[in-house]
Amino acid sequence: MRFDQRHLLGIEPLRADEITTLLDLADQYVTLSRRREKHSSLLSGLTQINMFFENSTRTQSSFELAGKRLGADVMNMSMQASSIKKGETLIDTALTLNAMHPDLLVVRHPQSGAVDLLAQKVHCAVINAGDGRHEHPTQALLDALTIRRAKGRLHRLNIAICGDIAHSRVARSNLLLLHKMENRIRLVGPATLMPAGIDAFGVEVYDNMEEGLRDVDVVMMLRLQKERMDGGFIPSEREYYHRWGLDAEKLAHAKPDAIVMHPGPMNRGVEIDGTIADDINRSVIQEQVEMGVAVRMAAMDLLARNLRARPTELSA
Ligand code: NCD
């Protein structure tokens, strides 16, 4: 079992065997989290600071819960969007944080690359909880765990990622992870929401849901990220739902046992029909939330082990 990372900034730097190590450990944390007594003292004495410069419901709460279940001292710093002035402000924030001696820093930031920059300036382990359109590694890992548990494997699956690919860090991290694990990936959505140069990724691109979903094992829907759009990317939400929203008719083209995923927050009636999202025979959206806590426990556990293996400033 090897995990050689000091930080978890993205899926890009991870090896396939490190992903497997993390998911195997997360499976154990699913078991722990289903027990009445959920506590472990693995992170006892360590300080975890969550810094969210962007709104979050499930990611922030699951990082908080994960840290508490592992016995860490968890602090949430609420960062107002107005406090972001890029560059200098972020480095000043890093210096302030360093003075508080955290061991784990969980950061979400609206700018791509901001979390990497912060990681270079602090002494602790940093986890990227989503930076701009760049990466959201724990989301891709929790999606991978959900798929692996539902399908019994995480390789040679046909997986369709659908909707607003261009603005989605979730899509990007998932693409990287599913590619490393040797799956066949299709991207389905309007051409205006496909990133430029996507063909180089070794994926199949479809602008038609019926064709894109044909015989897939996994249908991953994405939220229409209106806050990241600075122009008219879609004709109207109604038209978008008609062509690219997941409903029973379109889902009928996938394999009969295909699972439906969505990272949340969901726009019912925009990218997905509410009855599909709630169908416990098809939708694994609630499992994704459950796996989120377990994957974040596993990530913090592995980073803390690597932290302990390094000499501290006091003993150095
Ligand atoms: C995603 C995010 O913030 O990137 N949500 C999440 O973490 N569960 C996806 C989204 O906002 O659409």
Side-chain angles (χ1 to χ4, degrees), residues 153-200:
R153 66 180 203 273
L154 188 58
H155 59 274
R156 279 196 245 139
L157 292 165
N158 289 320
I159 300 172
I161 306 179
C162 311
D164 185 359
I165 317 278
H167 299 102
S168 176
R169 54 194 175 210
V170 175
R172 199 165 177 284
S173 289
N174 262 300
L175 248 167
L176 291 165
L177 189 152
L178 296 169
H179 199 258
K180 279 180 204 265
M181 305 314 275
E182 298 177 8
N183 294 282
R184 284 184 61 184
I185 307 161
R186 300 182 190 175
L187 301 181
V188 192
T192 48
L193 294 178
M194 287 292 161
I198 193 64
D199 298 330

Side-chain angles (χ1 to χ4, degrees), residues 50 52 56-65 76-77:
N50 298 334
F52 281 67
S56 170
T57 316
R58 69 216 84 214
T59 304
Q60 183 165 359
S61 53
S62 70
F63 266 115
E64 185 176 351
L65 208 52
N76 289 308
M77 280 173 82

Side-chain angles (χ1 to χ4, degrees), residues 36 70 95 125 172 259:
R36 186 180 292 267
L70 292 175
L95 295 176
R172 199 165 177 284
I259 55 168

Side-chain angles (χ1 to χ4, degrees), residues 5-281:
Q5 309 289 325
R6 180 176 171 190
H7 305 293
L8 181 58
L9 298 175
I11 297 297
E12 199 151 24
L14 299 184
R15 300 187 310 265
D17 68 293
E18 290 177 310
I19 293 170
T20 304
T21 294
L22 197 148
L23 298 183
D24 290 348
L25 186 59
D27 264 329
Q28 295 177 29
Y29 282 124
V30 176
T31 310
L32 178 72
S33 294
R34 287 182 180 176
R35 292 207 319 239
R36 186 180 292 267
E37 178 53 61
K38 300 171 178 60
H39 227 242
S40 131
S41 54
L42 221 105
L43 298 190
S44 169
L46 299 189
T47 301
Q48 173 191 339
I49 300 183
N50 298 334
M51 283 175 73
F52 281 67
F53 293 91
E54 222 184 50
N55 290 341
S56 170
T57 316
R58 69 216 84 214
T59 304
Q60 183 165 359
S61 53
S62 70
F63 266 115
E64 185 176 351
L65 208 52
K68 286 182 172 161
R69 283 192 186 158
L70 292 175
D73 296 319
V74 187
M75 187 180 88
N76 289 308
M77 280 173 82
S78 63
M79 315 301 294
Q80 297 301 323
S82 61
S83 75
I84 308 169
K85 293 203 180 61
K86 297 182 233 167
E88 271 197 343
T89 306
L90 199 62
I91 289 165
D92 278 345
T93 311
L95 295 176
T96 308
L97 281 169
N98 252 338
M100 296 185 192
H101 295 289
D103 302 286
L104 288 158
L105 199 57
V106 179
V107 188
R108 168 170 285 194
H109 198 284
Q111 252 125 20
S112 306
V115 184
D116 290 48
L117 182 66
L118 200 71
Q120 289 166 26
K121 306 287 174 192
V122 293
H123 296 130
C124 61
V126 177
I127 301 182
N128 181 2
D131 66 322
R133 304 176 188 188
H134 179 226
E135 282 234 39
H136 190 354
T138 55
Q139 179 70 44
L141 288 160
L142 76 88
D143 289 338
L145 186 62
T146 308
I147 295 171
R148 196 174 81 165
R149 290 171 68 101
K151 293 284 151 201
R153 66 180 203 273
L154 188 58
H155 59 274
R156 279 196 245 139
L157 292 165
N158 289 320
I159 300 172
I161 306 179
C162 311
D164 185 359
I165 317 278
H167 299 102
S168 176
R169 54 194 175 210
V170 175
R172 199 165 177 284
S173 289
N174 262 300
L175 248 167
L176 291 165
L177 189 152
L178 296 169
H179 199 258
K180 279 180 204 265
M181 305 314 275
E182 298 177 8
N183 294 282
R184 284 184 61 184
I185 307 161
R186 300 182 190 175
L187 301 181
V188 192
T192 48
L193 294 178
M194 287 292 161
I198 193 64
D199 298 330
F201 261 89
V203 293
E204 296 167 39
V205 180
Y206 294 86
D207 73 350
N208 175 301
M209 285 288 273
E210 286 74 12
E211 284 171 29
L213 296 193
R214 191 159 298 145
D215 293 328
V216 297
D217 301 285
V218 177
V219 183
M220 189 182 287
M221 300 308 298
L222 297 171
R223 184 174 63 89
L224 202 54
Q225 313 232 327
K226 283 176 278 186
E227 75 277 20
R228 298 192 204 286
M229 296 182 188
D230 48 14
F233 283 82
I234 56 160
S236 71
E237 281 186 4
R238 225 181 119 105
E239 178 69 9
Y240 183 83
Y241 180 65
H242 176 67
R243 293 190 59 186
W244 293 287
L246 186 68
D247 58 15
E249 217 174 292
K250 297 189 189 97
L251 183 58
H253 294 269
K255 283 194 183 150
D257 62 350
I259 55 168
V260 174
M261 309 178 75
H262 193 302
M266 249 186 305
N267 293 308
R268 291 167 186 259
V270 178
E271 66 259 358
I272 191 165
D273 172 22
T275 47
I276 301 264
D278 297 334
D279 180 352
I280 53 164
N281 296 314

